[in-house]
Amino acid sequence: MTKLQKLLQQYFAPFRRSGHSLTETGHGTGCIKQPKWKIKLHRAMRAKHKTIGAAPFDWVKGWDCEETTGVKFPIKNQNGAGECGGCAGSRFLEIVRTILGVPFEEVSEKSIYAPNAVQGGGMSMQALENQIANKGANSQADVPSWNNGFPPTEQFAEDKTWMTPELLQKAMLRAGWTAKTVAIDRESIAQAIRDYGAVIWIIEGSNNNTWNSQFPKHPVKGEQTWWHFMCSKGAIGNQINKYQSWGLMNGTTPIGLNGIQSFTDDYINSGYIHDVFTFFPTTQQAQKSTLIALIYRLMQLLGILQKQ
């Protein structure tokens, strides 16, 4: 076997979860650890988000998806299950489809996570990317992520009994995206959030008594660490990048500030953020979103005319 064949075999090898969880906040690792060379290779294989020629990010004004869309996006709760990939992916779709003009709907994190969960919990970056790009996701109404009003257990999050041909076909309405790699620096991430609506990133954290806070601190050498998916909410000034967390509600007290955590330049430059990527709509997805938005507006107009 040649050296190239060995590398390809390792690249496509099955993923295994570390089996640990962050006890500080009680939620699972969620993102499957991979060799850093594998992450770098995959980043190189994607299209690139280009900042050359783009307008610099306005750090005084900032950018926030809720201010842009007028929608208050609900905080998600993975409740110890390893579905932070489902939370990040569903939040991304909620934000960008709303920006494209589609009426806001909650997207099911379970519909993204369950088809891709590995034994013991968690999913890989490649699986999350493929699910959003090619398979889509279901609405929360069709595939509830909570079990009769209670946040999910790992068993419930991984359950696949809902996966009928009809629901898998409905998920395709939200498919049709192409992934783009975003450079891991403050300006590139902020521009990508502004230009595409959100980014997803893989961050490595540890139990250092700040993971539950508004401003988590990066691990230090020698600490045991875990990998997580997170989805951006926006970017704010004072050289602080503000991201939507996976939104675990710890009892009655949310993590961070009302469920939102902020990661400063110190964390971004620490080497503990392993991947940042976004998606832009394919022509097919853009057409679907435009059509849905048009139908919604026509229904609104019809309702107004009927009242008159």
Side-chain angles (χ1 to χ4, degrees):
M1 184 180 291
T2 67
K3 192 171 184 179
L4 176 60
Q5 287 174 323
K6 288 181 180 179
L7 285 173
L8 289 173
Q9 186 182 62
Q10 290 175 359
Y11 181 78
F12 292 106
F15 300 103
R16 289 185 171 82
R17 182 174 180 266
S18 63
H20 299 290
S21 63
L22 276 176
T23 56
E24 183 183 330
T25 54
H27 43 71
T29 168
C31 178
I32 306 303
K33 276 190 176 183
Q34 301 179 44
K36 292 180 181 178
W37 69 261
K38 186 179 288 191
I39 294 287
K40 289 179 179 178
L41 176 59
H42 196 81
R43 282 175 59 79
M45 292 168 62
R46 295 192 196 112
K48 303 293 186 295
H49 164 63
K50 296 180 180 179
T51 57
I52 297 175
F57 187 79
D58 187 341
W59 287 100
V60 176
K61 183 179 179 181
W63 190 91
D64 187 279
C65 65
E66 293 182 339
E67 294 176 2
T68 299
T69 62
V71 174
K72 182 68 175 177
F73 294 95
I75 298 299
K76 296 181 181 288
N77 184 351
Q78 69 186 87
N79 189 45
E83 66 174 0
C84 61
C87 291
S90 59
R91 174 49 39 84
F92 179 89
L93 290 173
E94 289 170 355
I95 293 172
V96 295
R97 294 180 80 242
T98 304
I99 290 173
L100 287 172
V102 176
F104 170 70
E105 65 171 354
E106 286 196 60
V107 177
S108 167
E109 48 266 37
K110 179 173 179 173
S111 70
I112 294 174
Y113 177 66
N116 301 286
V118 301
Q119 186 175 7
M123 66 186 296
S124 71
M125 169 267 291
Q126 290 88 340
L128 174 59
E129 183 179 316
N130 180 56
Q131 182 71 37
I132 293 175
N134 302 311
K135 299 178 181 179
N138 294 93
S139 69
Q140 201 71 262
D142 281 342
V143 184
S145 298
W146 284 34
N147 187 5
N148 295 317
F150 292 94
T153 60
E154 181 64 37
Q155 182 179 5
F156 181 80
E158 290 187 26
D159 171 63
K160 297 176 176 60
T161 56
W162 59 271
M163 292 174 62
T164 64
E166 179 185 5
L167 284 176
L168 294 177
Q169 186 62 39
K170 289 180 74 172
M172 290 294 294
L173 290 171
R174 299 168 191 84
W177 307 86
T178 301
K180 276 193 172 185
T181 291
V182 178
I184 303 175
D185 64 74
R186 179 167 60 91
E187 185 65 22
S188 296
I189 294 173
Q191 287 187 26
I193 293 169
R194 177 200 64 197
D195 296 343
Y196 298 100
V199 299
I200 295 174
W201 47 304
I202 296 175
I203 185 169
E204 187 173 0
S206 66
N207 287 319
N208 56 16
N209 296 317
T210 70
W211 188 252
N212 198 37
S213 69
Q214 183 183 358
F215 297 99
K217 294 182 179 179
H218 64 75
V220 296
K221 189 174 181 180
E223 288 184 328
Q224 189 169 18
T225 60
W226 297 268
W227 286 23
H228 311 264
F229 290 109
M230 302 178 81
C231 181
S232 65
K233 176 179 184 291
I236 195 169
N238 300 320
Q239 296 189 354
I240 295 175
N241 281 328
K242 188 176 182 180
Y243 296 99
Q244 173 69 55
S245 73
W246 54 84
L248 174 71
M249 305 292 286
N250 186 5
T252 57
T253 305
I255 62 172
L257 178 63
N258 299 322
I260 309 300
Q261 291 180 293
S262 300
F263 290 83
T264 64
D265 286 357
D266 184 50
Y267 212 128
I268 290 172
N269 298 329
S270 68
Y272 287 99
I273 295 177
H274 299 296
D275 193 15
V276 180
F277 58 101
T278 188
F279 295 85
F280 67 96
T282 61
T283 301
Q284 184 182 21
Q285 176 56 233
Q287 290 173 343
K288 284 189 289 187
S289 297
T290 301
L291 180 60
I292 293 172
L294 179 60
I295 292 172
Y296 176 72
R297 292 190 180 98
L298 288 173
M299 291 175 64
Q300 284 183 315
L301 179 59
L302 181 60
I304 293 171
L305 292 175
Q306 287 176 337
K307 289 180 180 179
Q308 292 178 342

